[in-house]
Amino acid sequence: MADQEHNWKCVQCFGDRGDSDDITDADLITAVEFDPTGNYLATGDRSGRVVLFERNDDTQGCEYKFHTEFQSHEAEFDYLKSLEIEEKINQIKWCKRQNAAHFLLSANDKTIKLWKVFEKSLKLVAESNGIASSMNGSATTTTTSSSNALRIPKLMHHDTIIAAVPRRVYANAHTYHINSISVNSDGETYLSGDDLRINLWNLDISDQSFNIVDIKPANMEELTEVITAAEFHPIHCNLFMYSSSKGSIKLSDMRASALCDQHAKVFQEPEDPANRSFFSEIISSVSDVKFSNDGRYILSRDYLTLKIWDINMDNKPLETIYIHDHLRNRLCDLYENDCIFDKFECIFSGDGNSVLTGSYSNTFHIYDKEGKTDIPLQADRTAFRRPAGNRNMAASRDYNFGSDDMDFSKKILHASWHPQEDTVAVAAANNLFMFNANNMDVDGR
C-alpha cells in the first residue's frame, strides 16, 4: 500500500503536559465525539467526567476552546451482585439540537444519562432608586430628601455560565456492560447494547425500554458469541446493525418483528482454514462498526484488519485493509500482555471517501475508501516543543513501525471525524489532539 503526500498537521493539543509517569488512570480519555455540526466536541474519561469544547471563531483555522466540564457518572456498588460499577464513560452521543441547549447521552457500564447543557444567566439585585443591594441579596435603604415612596430593587445581569443538568437517567436495563449507544435518525429513540442484548429507548421515557435483540442462550454454558457494537442506520430509522465476537455484522429491520433475532443480512468473510490458529476467534472479533453518512457503506474493525462493506453486497467486503498484519508472528506475546483484546474504533470521514483507525505507539492511519493510500500519523506532544518552523514535522512525518519498534503501552483507541471537514480529534492517553488537513500553525494548548 503506497503512502501519499499529504498536508495533515497536528494543530492543537489539550491535556496535561506532565511526564507520562504522572498520568493516572482517572485522566485517561475513553470517548471522543463531535456533535452533528462539528462546532462542539465532547470527551469522556475514566473518572466519569465529560468535557465539552467549542469552536473558537476568533482564531484562524480550526481551533477549539474549553466550553464546560461536568461529572457525568459516579462509582457505584451493586450490593445484590457484590459488583463494583466503574464511573468510566464508555460512550458519548449527541442528540439533534432543537433549541439553544445541547443534549447528549453518556453511558458507563450500567447507566445512561441524558444531559442538557445550556447557557444560564446569573442576576444580582443591583443598586437602583436609592436601594443599595449586597451580593447576598440583602438590601439597605439610602436616605433621599426627594421622596419616601416605596422603591423596588432591580435584577441586573451579572454573568453567564454554562450549566449541565441531567434530564433523564436510564438505569437497571442492562445485566451486562453497555458497549454501545446510538441515537436514531428519528430524533426520538436510541438503542443501547451490551454483551447479549440490545434495548430500544424513547428519549422521553426513562423507566421503560424494549428488548429488540437477545442472544442469551437458555444455558450460559452454550454461549458462543457476544455483541461487541451496535449502531442505527443514519437515514432509515427502522434499520440497525450489530457486530459480534465471531466476526459477523448483522443488519436488522425493526419492521420485520418486535424481536430482531432474524436478521436481514449478515456480513461475514469466511475464514481461510490455512490461517486458522488458537488466536483466530480472538482476532476476528469485530471491535467497532460504523455506517457512512449516506448509509451505503459499513466500516468494521477487528484486531488485524479494517473492512469496508457495501450494504447491498454481504458475501465479501469491498476492501480489506491490513493494519496489523506485521503482528501476526507476535500474537502469543500480545495475548500474554492482553493487547490482543484492545478494542480499536474506526470512523468514516464526513464525505465517506476516507476512513480512520488507530494503532500502537500513539499512531493512527487514514486510508482512502479504496485502500490504496495510507497516511500514518502520530499523536505526539513533542511536536509542540519544537521551534515553530519545525513544529508540524513530528506530527506529520510517516511512521512505519516494525513490530519490534512498537510501544504497546501507547495506543490510539478513540477518535472522531468532523462531519463537514477534514479535521479529526484523537485521544492519546490523557491528551486530546486535533489534526487538520490544511496548512496551519497553531500553538498547542
Side-chain angles (χ1 to χ4, degrees):
M1 187 181 299
D3 295 343
Q4 68 173 5
E5 292 297 324
H6 64 85
N7 58 353
W8 281 91
K9 299 292 185 289
C10 185
V11 297
Q12 193 174 15
C13 181
F14 296 94
D16 183 12
R17 292 178 181 270
D19 296 331
S20 59
D21 295 339
D22 299 331
I23 299 173
T24 63
D25 281 347
D27 296 325
L28 297 180
I29 297 175
T30 56
V32 181
E33 190 77 13
F34 275 108
D35 84 320
T37 67
N39 292 328
Y40 292 87
L41 176 71
T43 66
D45 62 22
R46 290 192 69 92
S47 66
R49 293 171 299 190
V50 172
V51 181
L52 302 187
F53 301 91
E54 66 173 325
R55 192 162 193 159
N56 186 2
D57 294 327
D58 297 334
T59 60
Q60 181 184 5
C62 182
E63 186 182 359
Y64 286 76
K65 62 183 179 181
F66 174 82
H67 185 58
T68 190
E69 174 184 335
F70 56 91
Q71 188 71 33
S72 175
H73 287 72
E74 303 280 357
E76 301 175 48
F77 191 81
D78 187 336
Y79 292 95
L80 293 177
K81 298 182 179 179
S82 297
L83 181 69
E84 185 176 352
I85 302 171
E86 284 186 298
E87 63 268 40
K88 177 176 74 79
I89 305 298
N90 292 339
Q91 290 252 300
I92 296 175
K93 296 296 178 183
W94 295 81
C95 301
K96 286 184 179 180
R97 192 174 184 181
Q98 299 178 351
N99 51 40
H102 298 278
F103 289 88
L104 62 155
L105 292 167
S106 62
N108 69 350
D109 285 341
K110 297 293 183 181
T111 305
I112 305 161
K113 295 184 180 182
L114 175 66
W115 288 90
K116 178 183 179 181
V117 181
F118 59 100
E119 290 187 354
K120 184 176 183 180
S121 176
L122 293 182
K123 295 182 179 180
L124 297 176
V125 180
E127 181 179 340
S128 174
N129 297 330
I131 301 293
S133 177
S134 64
M135 292 292 286
N136 62 8
S138 62
T140 57
T141 307
T142 59
T143 316
T144 63
S145 58
S146 59
S147 174
N148 291 323
L150 179 65
R151 293 156 193 180
I152 300 181
K154 291 183 179 180
L155 286 175
M156 300 294 288
H157 174 76
H158 173 69
D159 195 9
T160 300
I161 63 169
I162 307 298
V165 295
R167 294 301 303 272
R168 300 280 189 277
V169 177
Y170 312 90
N172 305 318
H174 285 278
T175 306
Y176 306 96
H177 290 177
I178 298 170
N179 55 46
S180 300
I181 53 176
S182 179
V183 180
N184 202 348
S185 60
D186 62 13
E188 298 178 357
T189 57
Y190 75 93
L191 64 76
S192 60
D194 64 25
D195 291 344
L196 298 179
R197 294 187 177 98
I198 298 175
N199 293 331
L200 178 68
W201 300 82
N202 186 301
L203 285 165
D204 294 328
I205 302 173
S206 60
D207 59 353
Q208 184 181 30
S209 64
F210 298 94
N211 182 219
I212 54 175
V213 173
D214 188 347
I215 66 169
K216 182 179 179 180
N219 182 357
M220 285 295 285
E221 293 181 358
E222 299 173 359
L223 181 68
T224 59
E225 65 179 329
V226 295
I227 297 169
T228 56
E231 185 175 70
F232 266 121
H233 191 279
I235 299 173
H236 302 298
C237 61
N238 54 290
L239 296 177
F240 70 95
M241 66 176 174
Y242 62 96
S243 58
S244 83
S245 58
K246 278 195 167 183
S248 66
I249 303 165
K250 297 175 181 179
L251 183 70
S252 297
D253 189 340
M254 291 190 294
R255 295 173 301 182
S257 64
L259 190 62
C260 301
D261 288 345
Q262 300 299 319
H263 36 268
K265 288 186 178 181
V266 179
F267 302 87
Q268 186 170 20
E269 193 172 23
E271 182 186 5
D272 184 355
N275 294 330
R276 180 152 187 84
S277 69
F278 171 78
F279 306 105
S280 293
E281 188 167 329
I282 301 173
I283 62 176
S284 66
S285 175
V286 178
S287 59
D288 193 22
V289 286
K290 292 287 193 307
F291 281 109
S292 59
N293 282 348
D294 61 4
R296 174 68 187 273
Y297 301 100
I298 294 172
L299 181 65
S300 68
R301 174 70 202 266
D302 56 43
Y303 189 70
L304 298 181
T305 68
L306 194 65
K307 292 185 175 72
I308 301 173
W309 302 82
D310 188 320
I311 198 171
N312 297 319
M313 187 177 74
D314 56 2
N315 59 332
K316 64 177 182 178
L318 290 176
E319 296 293 338
T320 299
I321 301 170
Y322 295 92
I323 313 289
H324 288 156
D325 210 40
H326 55 288
L327 297 180
R328 284 188 181 275
N329 60 351
R330 296 197 61 181
L331 293 179
C332 186
D333 295 336
L334 294 166
Y335 179 80
E336 291 180 357
N337 63 19
D338 286 341
C339 285
I340 200 170
F341 301 105
D342 286 335
K343 298 184 183 302
F344 292 96
E345 295 178 357
C346 59
I347 46 175
F348 270 108
S349 61
D351 59 12
N353 292 326
S354 302
V355 296
L356 181 152
T357 194
S359 182
Y360 294 106
S361 297
N362 278 355
T363 62
F364 62 98
H365 295 260
I366 297 174
Y367 303 92
D368 71 301
K369 192 169 65 175
E370 286 75 31
K372 295 177 180 177
T373 56
D374 173 10
I375 301 175
L377 300 166
Q378 187 177 45
D380 187 357
R381 268 200 172 277
T382 59
F384 297 104
R385 301 192 186 108
R386 297 170 176 266
N390 298 325
R391 183 178 297 139
N392 289 325
M393 292 177 61
S396 62
R397 67 175 182 263
D398 290 343
Y399 287 85
N400 292 311
F401 292 102
S403 61
D404 295 332
D405 302 322
M406 280 189 164
D407 185 345
F408 295 104
S409 66
K410 297 179 179 180
K411 58 197 77 171
I412 301 296
L413 300 177
H414 313 288
S416 184
W417 200 303
H418 190 288
Q420 278 93 38
E421 61 187 47
D422 284 340
T423 297
V424 297
V426 177
N430 66 326
N431 294 312
L432 177 69
F433 291 86
M434 305 295 297
F435 284 78
N436 191 280
N438 298 320
N439 288 309
M440 292 187 283
D441 187 12
V442 181
D443 286 333
R445 292 177 183 256

